[in-house]
Amino acid sequence: RRVLFRSMAKIDVINQTGAVVDSIELNDAVFGIEPNQQAMYDVLVMALAGRRQGTSATKGRSEVSGGGRKPFRQKGTGRARQGTIRAAQHRGGGTVFGAVPRDYHYRVNKKVSRLAVKSALSEKVADAAFTVVDKFDLDAPKTKTFVGIMEAINAPKKTLFVVANGEDATNAALSVRNIPNTKMLTSTGINVFDLVHANKVVMTSAAVKEIEEALA
């Protein structure tokens, strides 16, 4: 069983070269709770449902081509009576109870959503898959440079980077776009889906403070 932080946990803050430059205390109410698996599951299912296109469609009997008249007379033919060749039993007829375009999106309770985010963050901290950096400072958008930063701070593939809303991380964000399975979000954009699917979460100090203010 994972050992969770029960008091204000102190974590090192590193720079882009991987050197420790400071330390920060993580709020136990956000980064040290017992992960609620049911809340995370409910929010993940909601996220996956919202990603469905919902564009599958079939044609009913009123939409397929074909005449509206009776194909043959009612009696005297020895065959079963038929009202239209557009009926489902005929070749080229309409589909009965077929798929129609729909929106699969729905929402869970706000408290459950907040609990799920805190649970996902706490799980990353407990699994030692959480790192705090002071800032991302690139002179220009350069993917090769950012890959070097990832190697220096020991960030594996499928890493989620989180920066504060007020930080100037445009060059870093543009550099991350070309790295497969790597994403950069702002503190207000974090979600359970990206947190759970990332092998590691790397946040700036400013982003940690913004998230604690929003969720604590």
Side-chain angles (χ1 to χ4, degrees):
R1 183 176 178 177
R2 288 188 297 271
V3 178
L4 298 177
F5 296 108
R6 294 304 179 190
S7 60
M8 295 291 282
K10 183 171 286 188
I11 187 171
D12 290 334
V13 178
I14 61 177
N15 58 18
Q16 294 182 158
T17 64
V20 177
V21 294
D22 198 359
S23 63
I24 188 173
E25 288 188 345
L26 300 178
N27 192 328
D28 185 55
V30 178
F31 294 95
I33 70 169
E34 180 73 31
N36 190 306
Q37 301 297 329
Q38 185 63 49
M40 288 195 291
Y41 173 80
D42 291 342
V43 174
L44 277 174
V45 171
M46 178 196 70
L48 292 173
R51 287 169 175 248
R52 296 184 65 175
Q53 289 183 320
T55 54
S56 57
T58 57
K59 290 184 178 181
R61 59 184 292 171
S62 64
E63 299 169 306
V64 297
S65 61
R69 66 177 181 82
K70 281 176 73 71
F72 47 83
R73 59 196 178 99
Q74 179 86 343
K75 295 179 178 294
T77 64
R79 301 174 64 185
R81 57 193 177 187
Q82 302 293 326
T84 174
I85 60 172
R86 294 185 297 186
Q89 68 269 24
H90 291 288
R91 181 179 180 181
T95 302
V96 180
F97 303 130
V100 294
R102 55 171 292 192
D103 182 12
Y104 289 92
H105 179 269
Y106 68 94
R107 287 193 173 277
V108 299
N109 186 286
K110 184 182 290 186
K111 289 184 178 180
V112 176
S113 180
R114 288 165 61 92
L115 176 60
V117 172
K118 291 190 288 187
S119 297
L121 289 170
S122 298
E123 199 167 62
K124 291 301 180 186
V125 173
D127 289 340
F130 184 84
T131 300
V132 179
V133 298
D134 56 352
K135 61 181 179 179
F136 292 109
D137 186 16
L138 278 73
D139 296 330
K142 191 71 173 178
T143 301
K144 185 176 181 179
T145 302
F146 200 87
V147 169
I149 294 174
M150 291 178 62
E151 294 175 351
I153 64 176
N154 194 26
K157 293 182 178 179
K158 290 184 69 175
T159 295
L160 175 65
F161 295 94
V162 184
V163 297
N165 285 306
E167 284 187 280
D168 183 13
T170 303
N171 290 336
L174 292 173
S175 302
V176 167
R177 291 192 307 179
N178 292 329
I179 305 175
N181 301 317
T182 303
K183 182 180 287 189
M184 179 172 286
L185 299 174
T186 61
S187 58
T188 55
I190 61 170
N191 58 85
V192 177
F193 183 88
D194 288 323
L195 288 172
V196 169
H197 282 77
N199 289 335
K200 190 170 188 177
V201 177
V202 178
M203 283 190 189
T204 62
S205 303
V208 171
K209 293 179 181 178
E210 284 188 353
I211 290 172
E212 288 179 342
E213 291 175 359
L215 297 178

